Amino acid sequence: MTPLLRRVRAVVVTLLVLALVATAVWWFTRPKPVPVLLVEVGHGVVEATLSNTRAGEIEACQRTRLSTIVGGRIDFLGVEEGDRVEAGQVLMRLWNADQDARLAVNRAQLETARKRVQEACTQADNAEREAARQTELFQRNFISASREEQARTEARALRAACETARADTRTAEAQIDATATDRQRTVLIAPFAGTVAKITGELGEYSTPSPPGVPTPPAIDLIDDSCLYVKAPMDEIDAPKIHPGQRARVTLDALPGKVFDAKVKRIAPYITAVEKQARTVDVDVEFVRPDEARGLLVGYSADAEIVLDVRENVLRIPTATLQEGNQVLLYRESDGTLEAREIKPGVANWDYTEVLDGLAAGDRIVSSLEREGVKPGARVDPENDGRAAR
């Protein structure tokens, strides 16, 4: 073998060795595929919804915090917390023995006035008959004119006494009504049937009414829990989109997984400004089937989701797969890499977003965006086929 051939062979061997070394270095240092989860683009229902900005709560259609008009010692307490009561039932009564005594006096005065009426009016009737007889005698010239005038004057005076006695009777009756009204100031009567939620005070304790501007606890908190609804604060920006009759869904932290069908009943005519929080409008949402809500406790925290629009059988993707700029990461099966794809979104909610353009049914996109290394151009290794997460 000539020296030239030997040099050529040495060069070729060297190049082969270098190529093998480079290949080995590339093989052992190449970036490993990033494991990702995929979701397949498909068709389904997408709803445009609004949700409350902070927790709403279950409210009773009727709730009253009762307090006596005057203060006094609790003399009768006819209910306990949790009791069911009927409309008109006496719940609490303060000590009012003085008013009972005054009422007894008023009734005695009324009885006396009625007897005076009987006496005075009987005398007036007799006097009028005597005056008529005296007038007849005068006309027949049996008595003088002065005697006839005296009889008529006496009859008029006795009739006036009769009317005065009747007025005294009406006064006595008015005094009884006034005393009875004063007694009502010391009595709490249920204005409707419901459940006693809370009682402030015990038998023998002093109950104080709530003066204007002073937040004194009510004596009895009465709730009509046969009719419930949800009061949910919505962002003021969304207020123009909400209208009575719109379909809604109610969920409660106390009943995870349970969804109640509901509808918008009322939108408050004013905005509520809570310090250090967003300005909101209160929306009342009533249950479509009130029987399902029976047993819920007033004050439960609740969330209301109002349905603004519904799109049936449209192309959709999970909203969580959408990145800034309305982009998704599309998986390319040809080379196992990711491609940034911009889409045109339509109706959307927290779960799904409608796709108007940019993707087709069957495309697979990345749902595990939080993993390190997931970016356009990255080589990935799908952990699923995308259909299970759809």
Side-chain angles (χ1 to χ4, degrees):
M1 180 180 295
T2 64
L4 180 59
L5 290 176
R6 285 197 295 267
R7 286 197 297 271
V8 170
R9 187 175 66 177
V11 170
V12 171
V13 171
T14 301
L15 292 175
L16 289 174
V17 171
L18 292 175
L20 291 173
V21 171
T23 302
V25 171
W26 172 83
W27 177 262
F28 289 107
T29 60
R30 75 189 190 286
K32 295 182 180 180
V34 178
V36 294
L37 293 175
L38 302 178
V39 62
E40 183 178 342
V41 180
H43 291 84
V45 178
V46 180
E47 296 177 337
T49 61
L50 294 174
S51 298
N52 42 284
T53 56
R54 46 179 210 280
E57 64 179 59
I58 299 291
E59 298 274 2
C61 296
Q62 289 190 101
R63 181 174 187 174
T64 181
R65 296 169 174 83
L66 300 169
S67 293
T68 54
I69 299 176
V70 298
R73 178 171 56 83
I74 300 175
D75 189 57
F76 170 78
L77 192 56
V79 292
E80 296 180 354
E81 292 182 358
D83 284 356
R84 293 285 304 176
V85 299
E86 299 298 327
Q89 181 176 336
V90 176
L91 308 179
M92 176 188 289
R93 184 170 55 245
L94 304 182
W95 181 85
N96 56 8
D98 57 336
Q99 294 173 349
D100 288 341
R102 189 179 307 118
L103 186 61
V105 171
N106 295 150
R107 287 172 176 166
Q109 289 173 342
L110 176 61
E111 184 63 24
T112 300
R114 285 173 175 171
K115 290 181 178 179
R116 287 175 180 171
V117 167
Q118 184 178 6
E119 177 185 0
C121 292
T122 298
Q123 291 177 350
D125 291 341
N126 291 335
E128 287 174 349
R129 286 194 295 270
E130 178 63 22
R133 192 174 68 82
Q134 293 294 330
T135 299
E136 183 179 353
L137 292 175
F138 171 71
Q139 291 174 350
R140 296 169 61 181
N141 296 320
F142 287 152
I143 60 173
S144 64
S146 60
R147 180 71 186 87
E148 188 264 346
E149 178 63 26
Q150 181 182 358
R152 286 192 288 111
T153 301
E154 184 178 353
R156 287 194 296 270
L158 291 175
R159 178 56 60 187
C162 171
E163 295 302 324
T164 300
R166 287 198 174 111
D168 290 342
T169 300
R170 291 191 292 270
T171 300
E173 290 173 344
Q175 288 176 341
I176 289 177
D177 292 339
T179 303
T181 300
D182 288 340
R183 290 179 78 251
Q184 291 177 1
R185 295 171 179 267
T186 64
V187 179
L188 288 184
I189 298 176
F192 53 81
T195 300
V196 177
K198 186 173 179 59
I199 299 175
T200 302
E202 298 290 342
L203 194 65
E205 292 182 350
Y206 194 89
S207 178
T208 304
S210 300
V214 180
T216 304
I220 294 180
D221 188 0
L222 183 63
I223 295 175
D224 178 10
D225 53 5
S226 64
C227 175
L228 302 175
Y229 69 97
V230 174
K231 183 180 290 294
M234 299 287 180
D235 195 290
E236 63 173 339
I237 298 175
D238 298 325
K241 306 174 187 176
I242 305 173
H243 306 285
Q246 286 177 321
R247 190 163 62 89
R249 288 184 291 266
V250 171
T251 56
L252 289 81
D253 293 340
L255 299 173
K258 177 68 173 177
V259 179
F260 297 89
D261 290 332
K263 63 180 179 179
V264 176
K265 178 182 179 181
R266 171 184 171 272
I267 300 95
Y270 59 90
I271 298 296
T272 301
V274 180
E275 186 178 0
K276 297 182 180 179
Q277 296 187 25
R279 299 168 68 88
T280 58
V281 58
D282 286 335
V283 177
D284 294 346
V285 177
E286 62 181 354
F287 294 94
V288 172
R289 291 179 288 276
D291 289 343
E292 291 185 354
R294 294 190 187 280
L296 298 181
L297 301 181
V298 174
Y300 264 159
S301 61
D303 292 319
E305 185 180 31
I306 300 174
V307 180
L308 302 179
D309 193 8
V310 179
R311 301 293 175 86
E312 302 280 352
N313 196 30
V314 296
L315 198 65
R316 68 181 188 177
I317 60 172
T319 301
T321 63
L322 199 58
Q323 295 182 303
E324 187 177 356
N326 293 326
Q327 289 189 343
V328 296
L329 293 179
L330 177 66
Y331 174 66
R332 295 192 304 195
E333 295 188 21
S334 58
D335 57 4
T337 60
L338 300 180
E339 173 192 343
R341 180 72 62 85
E342 184 177 350
I343 70 163
K344 182 179 179 181
V347 171
N349 58 29
W350 289 106
D351 296 321
Y352 291 100
T353 297
E354 179 186 11
V355 178
L356 300 177
D357 190 23
L359 292 173
D363 287 345
R364 290 190 290 171
I365 59 177
V366 177
S367 61
S368 53
L369 298 174
E370 75 286 353
R371 296 186 179 181
E372 185 178 357
V374 176
K375 59 183 178 181
R379 192 162 60 89
V380 298
D381 180 19
E383 294 184 352
N384 65 341
D385 60 4
R387 292 173 178 80
R390 181 175 172 181

